[in-house]
Amino acid sequence: MTKGFSLWLLLAALLALGLRTVQLDSRPMHNDEAVNAIKFRNLWDGAGYRYDPVEFHGPTLAYSTLVWEKLTLAGNFARFSEARLRSLTALFGVGLVLLLFLVSDGLGPKATLAAALLTAVSPVMVYYSRDYIHETLFVFFSFLALASGWRYCQTAKIAWILLTGAAFGLMQATKETFIFNIAAVMGALLLNEWLRPPAPATPLDKKLFNPAHLAAAALVWLAVAALLFSSFFSNPAGLLDAARTYLIWFQRVKGASPHIHEWSFYWERLLFFHRAGGPIWSEALILLLAVGAGIAAFGRRQLPGASRPLVRFILLYTVILAAIYTALPYKTPWSALGFWHGAILLAGVGASALTAGLMGRRLKIAAGIILATGAAQLAVQAWQSAINSRYSADPRNPWVYSQTLPNLLELTAKVDAVAAASPDDRHLPISVIAPDSDYWPLPWYLRRYNAAGFFENVPGFSKFLPAEIQDVDAFVKKVRANSDPVSKFLLESGLTNNLDAAHPANGGPAYLESILVTNLNRIITGPSIYDSNRFQQVHLHPETGELLRQNPRGQDLIRLNRWLLEDAYPAELGADHLPAEPYPPLTILSARLEPDVDPDKAGIMTGLYELRPGVWLELYVQSNLWSTYLQHRAK
Amino acid sequence: MNAILKNHRCRRLPLCLILCLAWLSASSSSRAEDLVPLPITNGPPVFIGTPPNNKPDPNIDVNTNRPHFPAPAGVTNVALHKKVTSSVTNAAPEDLAKITDGEKNSSDEDNVVILHRGVQWVQIDLGSTQEIFAIVVWHAYDKIKVYHDVVVQVADGPDFTAAQNVRTLFNNDVENKASLGIGTNREYFETNEGKLVDAKGAKARYVRLYSNGSTGGTFNEYTEVEVYGRPAK
């Protein structure tokens, strides 16, 4: 390769670096980024890493971050920034450009440079290189496997196939979807061999793929994967989990997920995406050029400087991978990166073939200008989607998915301001309460608060939860016996309504439990159930008697009703008589839980904030702290 | 599993109690000896996978079917086609007139008046003193959003000075950014029903409404304002 080639490749890498690292904190942390960050905190703080086969993908992100943060002499995790974490994935995104050097003799120099430019500016590649998630690492390791495999085919040196083995191990330890890449590689190799015209074997061919090389590569693959999944042998169960995860993900892929989308999900985003009030987004140029490369790969025309088998392999690999992802019902937009990177490599070849195939210098220059303009337009789109704060978290952007809205930063800024006014500052107790733990990325933004707690229910929440009933059958039996005034009251109040629907065919005991709890909660959230005649035979717990004397309302009344029932059926319902937990000075609450809030105790509701489209949080501050904050602000 | 879930409340309780007691004790000025914070660390938050791309909050109902608001018979919208002015001095009168033109469809951009960012107000001159029972304001409800620092006032004079009998009917400016006093009302979601403010029969000629941007952007937006009243006796 010439000096000029290396220089142009370096320039493309610099362009990629610029687009991937400018204003890395321009959009709020995504749910998944924050989860990855907080999981990494355990590793950084010395608590180790443990692979979870259910969710959150593989260990390479955490360990790569560890290496990167050690190299860059990062300090206390509380001082980490979004930009610091995202810079890791950004560098892997730049690495995708530099890796092209390894396949430049297979794609041809012009095609390699065109692919480098398109990798640098592709909006989807830029967007997710700036996200602290696994995807860019995964694509990097996939390309490393392909590129080192190509080098092995060119040299038959064992080092290259060992690197291929290591890359496969890293892929496996990054994302469970690596099995799709393996399927695509195998399919492409077989089809490519089948399509290849017969030719006498060269001396190099005879050296390739000897069993010792293959066995060594397989060993390296397994060793790398085992090392990472077992957390460097500190968690042997990780090895089993690495296999068990596929059973779990298989269920998810079959449809038990909120991320089920129709076949066109990726293609709409890649080729033509428009939402009312937003611009039109399209990377169709890349697909057009890739199609051109595909036609050239199977046509008679020469591919300038390119290896036809390699181009055909990339084409087949990309088509198979794209078909798999298109057919799978489970889709998240970042999953497009794998096959789209293949398309970008082909687009480089397509661009080179197009300019080479044109007759005459003027036509070639015109084609070059058109392609350069197209690439510039992609760069502008990349800027708009990934960097420009107007669209980087806006649902009108094709790559914004379950993204945290900037409004959340106003909430965290308010929390910081209120805490700064408090003498407790970073020790201020904060409760974040949301059903289904839907409060991410707040654990990231509240990482400096050592007294922040995360809960599912409001303080003083007293409704029954299904698992809290000690003995469902005995309770139903006792009530149905109708032998005491409380049971009579419960029957008249409809406690046993719909219970007969809980036939085993309809879900059996769990269904029965849920109906019973629904009915119970309907009763205890109504008016006071206390009546002196009704509870004459019931021995009331001292705590119940005390609460009764207070003539409570709101959540306290619900608790009183519950305690009364617990006193009447202590063996069946259990009786713990826990006092209501107090509200902390500052509460961040899901708006879904507002009906459960006791406004007298929660404090002043100081604002509503949108976490994600349609998901709202309320900020409550105790009145004394709010007054302190206002006085502090007035100064 | 049951045991784990059963312990859920129990686990949470001591942590909350400890945190709050620690806070209260730390805030106390009478200390018998030097105290240091207990080295308590919280358990980690519960990790979750990628949430759904769009999960509308079930607590937010854009068609809330507000109950009927009782008012004396004969009360009408006395703001219809009345003159509107604003703190945004370069706002075109024909634009401001949209606030009282009777058109309240936010999905039609032509109906929405957009005013500068920051605390801004619009003011309606009812032409004569009216007995006002309710004021209903629609900001832009093209999507679910919350407008900040909403204040609704009435007064006898156009300058809203102390001498002009200014009365605040609604104020959720809890930080007093508009310098009209600390609000005690809650923020609310913008809906097609508009926000109804009970004016309790206040007698006034001028109505002024403040806002300070929204969760949807920094601009102040109005689709319509209606003032239900009748000429004061």
Side-chain angles (χ1 to χ4, degrees):
Chain A
M1 291 294 146
T2 63
K3 264 188 185 174
F5 170 83
S6 303
L7 188 67
W8 281 110
L9 191 64
L10 206 59
L11 282 176
L14 283 175
L15 177 61
L17 184 70
L19 284 170
R20 281 155 178 78
T21 54
V22 170
Q23 296 173 31
L24 262 180
D25 54 356
S26 68
R27 65 172 176 266
M29 288 286 259
H30 186 279
N31 176 101
D32 297 4
E33 290 183 281
V35 165
N36 289 333
I38 298 298
K39 284 183 89 69
F40 168 70
R41 177 172 65 183
N42 292 340
L43 185 60
W44 184 251
D45 289 346
Y49 171 90
R50 196 181 175 89
Y51 173 62
D52 182 344
V54 178
E55 198 53 272
F56 318 120
H57 305 308
T60 55
L61 182 66
Y63 284 114
S64 303
T65 312
L66 184 67
V67 172
W68 174 239
E69 303 305 346
K70 292 274 185 197
L71 284 174
T72 54
L73 306 175
N76 190 321
F77 183 83
R79 291 185 189 157
F80 273 46
S81 65
E82 292 91 317
R84 171 170 271 284
L85 289 171
R86 288 170 175 164
S87 62
L88 173 84
T89 49
L91 288 180
F92 273 97
V94 177
L96 277 174
V97 176
L98 296 173
L99 275 183
L100 277 162
F101 189 80
L102 297 179
V103 292
S104 57
D105 56 344
L107 298 179
K110 283 183 184 168
T112 303
L113 291 177
L117 178 63
L118 292 172
T119 306
V121 300
S122 160
V124 63
M125 302 299 282
V126 173
Y127 193 91
Y128 290 119
S129 291
R130 298 164 59 92
D131 248 9
Y132 183 62
I133 59 173
H134 294 69
E135 214 63 37
T136 308
L137 272 70
F138 183 69
V139 180
F140 177 88
F141 295 137
S142 307
F143 191 33
L144 180 63
L146 189 152
S148 55
W150 168 250
R151 292 258 51 82
Y152 175 72
C153 291
Q154 298 307 295
T155 62
K157 287 181 179 169
I158 190 170
W160 288 115
I161 199 157
L162 294 183
L163 184 58
T164 307
F168 276 127
L170 290 164
M171 282 170 71
Q172 183 178 358
T174 303
K175 268 197 92 174
E176 296 76 4
T177 49
F178 107 106
I179 55 165
F180 302 136
N181 295 62
I182 295 293
V185 166
M186 298 304 291
L189 282 174
L190 288 172
L191 277 172
N192 209 17
E193 198 57 33
W194 182 58
L195 292 170
R196 198 161 75 163
T202 64
L204 181 66
D205 290 341
K206 288 173 187 167
K207 285 187 193 170
L208 288 174
F209 303 115
N210 79 51
H213 286 188
L214 291 176
L219 275 177
V220 170
W221 171 350
L222 290 176
V224 168
L227 210 59
L228 289 165
F229 278 115
S230 68
S231 308
F232 294 87
F233 304 121
S234 65
N235 172 35
L239 298 173
L240 189 63
D241 288 340
R244 203 160 62 87
T245 186
Y246 291 100
L247 295 174
I248 298 159
W249 278 97
F250 182 64
Q251 291 300 321
R252 199 163 298 167
V253 166
K254 279 202 302 185
S257 163
H259 304 293
I260 303 304
H261 297 290
E262 55 189 19
W263 71 270
S264 57
F265 181 80
Y266 297 118
W267 301 106
E268 182 198 15
R269 279 162 176 74
L270 288 165
L271 303 181
F272 187 88
F273 187 89
H274 181 241
R275 294 288 182 268
I280 292 172
W281 309 86
S282 174
E283 298 188 42
L285 173 70
I286 289 171
L287 185 68
L288 282 174
L289 291 171
V291 169
I295 293 168
F298 285 97
R300 290 181 181 175
R301 186 169 286 181
Q302 285 292 312
L303 290 167
S307 156
R308 195 176 296 272
L310 176 65
V311 176
R312 282 184 175 182
F313 169 80
I314 295 172
L315 174 68
L316 293 167
Y317 166 81
T318 304
V319 168
I320 294 170
L321 201 57
I324 291 171
Y325 277 104
T326 302
L328 284 174
Y330 180 94
K331 294 181 177 76
T332 47
W334 43 85
S335 300
L337 249 63
F339 66 82
W340 198 242
H341 180 246
I344 288 171
L345 299 179
L346 292 169
V349 177
S352 169
L354 177 71
T355 49
L358 293 172
M359 305 295 281
R361 187 180 161 81
R362 283 186 184 172
L363 269 179
K364 284 180 194 287
I365 290 173
I369 290 171
I370 290 169
L371 291 176
T373 308
Q377 206 277 332
L378 285 175
V380 171
Q381 283 190 59
W383 182 278
Q384 291 278 32
S385 79
I387 302 167
N388 185 341
S389 57
R390 183 174 177 193
Y391 290 114
S392 63
D394 189 312
R396 292 172 296 181
N397 178 340
W399 308 116
V400 166
Y401 187 85
S402 307
Q403 170 66 41
T404 309
L405 293 173
N407 193 212
L408 186 81
L409 301 183
E410 292 175 34
L411 168 64
T412 54
K414 181 60 58 65
V415 169
D416 288 343
V418 172
S422 156
D424 302 289
D425 198 3
R426 300 293 175 183
H427 303 293
L428 184 72
I430 299 171
S431 281
V432 182
I433 309 165
D436 307 322
S437 308
D438 193 4
Y439 40 63
W440 291 88
L442 278 173
W444 163 259
Y445 286 108
L446 300 179
R447 64 194 179 282
R448 298 186 185 96
Y449 294 93
N450 54 19
F454 298 87
F455 309 108
E456 299 272 328
N457 289 310
V458 296
F461 179 85
S462 300
K463 288 182 198 168
F464 284 98
L465 299 171
E468 288 177 330
I469 299 176
Q470 297 280 347
D471 192 334
V472 174
D473 292 336
F475 178 55
V476 172
K477 200 173 169 185
K478 190 168 178 180
V479 171
R480 278 188 163 155
N482 198 7
S483 59
D484 61 89
V486 180
S487 294
K488 185 169 182 291
F489 163 74
L490 290 177
L491 282 172
E492 287 169 357
S493 303
L495 177 75
T496 54
N497 284 0
N498 303 320
L499 279 192
D500 293 333
H503 188 269
N506 294 333
Y511 190 51
L512 172 91
E513 213 168 60
S514 75
I515 293 174
L516 191 70
V517 163
T518 304
N519 292 343
L520 261 178
N521 285 336
R522 181 174 44 75
I523 293 167
I524 67 170
T525 52
S528 171
I529 65 170
Y530 182 75
D531 179 283
S532 55
N533 291 329
R534 190 181 295 155
F535 283 86
Q536 198 171 25
Q537 299 164 23
V538 177
H539 173 67
L540 295 185
H541 191 281
E543 298 281 351
T544 313
E546 177 59 32
L547 189 57
L548 188 60
R549 278 187 287 281
Q550 292 171 13
N551 195 20
R553 58 194 182 94
Q555 285 291 328
D556 290 341
L557 176 58
I558 297 171
R559 188 163 53 261
L560 171 65
N561 286 340
R562 175 176 173 148
W563 287 2
L564 286 166
L565 289 182
E566 288 179 350
D567 289 346
Y569 305 94
E572 294 80 10
L573 293 180
D576 49 21
H577 292 92
L578 290 171
E581 307 95 323
Y583 276 85
L586 203 147
T587 303
I588 300 169
L589 181 90
S590 162
R592 293 163 68 187
L593 294 179
E594 188 176 306
D596 293 338
V597 172
D598 190 334
D600 294 338
K601 296 177 180 172
I604 299 167
M605 201 279 269
T606 67
L608 274 159
Y609 301 88
E610 197 167 17
L611 170 65
R612 294 194 310 278
V615 181
W616 293 81
L617 297 170
E618 298 177 348
L619 176 64
Y620 289 85
V621 183
Q622 295 294 352
S623 55
N624 55 346
L625 177 58
W626 187 249
S627 301
T628 308
Y629 159 69
L630 290 178
Q631 288 163 12
H632 192 262
R633 203 171 59 92
K635 290 176 191 169
Chain B
M1 183 65 182
N2 282 6
I4 294 168
L5 289 171
K6 270 182 74 62
N7 284 334
H8 179 71
R9 287 198 316 147
C10 311
R11 281 204 320 268
R12 206 153 69 76
L13 175 76
L15 177 64
C16 245
L17 281 172
I18 289 166
L19 294 179
C20 292
L21 288 173
W23 181 66
L24 288 171
S25 61
S27 305
S28 168
S29 56
S30 58
R31 291 179 180 173
E33 56 186 306
D34 287 343
L35 300 177
V36 294
L38 286 173
I40 302 170
T41 55
N42 285 335
V46 178
F47 295 109
I48 61 167
T50 310
N53 187 33
N54 195 357
K55 185 169 70 172
D57 201 314
N59 197 46
I60 300 166
D61 187 351
V62 290
N63 294 299
T64 50
N65 292 321
R66 182 177 51 225
H68 292 295
F69 184 81
V75 165
T76 58
N77 174 18
V78 293
L80 190 64
H81 302 305
K82 293 289 166 43
K83 186 183 176 187
V84 182
T85 52
S86 171
S87 56
V88 181
T89 49
N90 59 355
E94 60 270 27
D95 281 343
L96 292 173
K98 292 177 187 172
I99 293 173
T100 53
D101 67 353
E103 294 288 338
K104 48 186 140 176
N105 181 1
S106 271
S107 58
D108 183 349
E109 287 179 12
D110 289 343
N111 287 335
V112 181
V113 179
I114 300 174
L115 301 173
H116 284 183
R117 63 192 71 201
V119 176
Q120 304 292 356
W121 52 258
V122 296
Q123 182 172 310
I124 303 166
D125 178 359
L126 302 175
S128 60
T129 301
Q130 302 285 324
E131 187 181 10
I132 303 169
F133 294 92
I135 298 169
V136 194
V137 55
W138 289 260
H139 293 100
Y141 60 87
D142 51 326
K143 61 177 186 175
I144 297 171
K145 52 187 163 181
V146 175
Y147 285 83
H148 303 305
D149 308 332
V150 174
V151 182
V152 180
Q153 292 183 324
V154 292
D156 297 342
D159 301 325
F160 281 69
T161 56
Q164 293 178 337
N165 191 21
V166 178
R167 284 144 288 166
T168 300
L169 304 178
F170 182 91
N171 184 349
N172 67 16
D173 178 14
V174 291
E175 291 194 62
N176 197 20
K177 287 185 178 170
S179 303
L180 299 168
I182 295 170
T184 55
N185 296 103
R186 293 164 62 97
E187 289 197 324
Y188 62 90
F189 294 108
E190 203 65 32
T191 74
N192 60 339
E193 286 193 331
K195 177 65 181 174
L196 187 147
V197 175
D198 186 352
K200 298 186 172 70
K203 290 175 181 170
R205 176 174 168 176
Y206 297 92
V207 176
R208 188 180 274 195
L209 303 103
Y210 292 80
S211 64
N212 182 16
S214 74
T215 51
T218 53
F219 292 113
N220 293 283
E221 296 155 308
Y222 287 87
T223 307
E224 189 71 11
V225 175
E226 292 181 342
V227 179
Y228 285 91
R230 60 186 176 186
K233 291 174 183 170

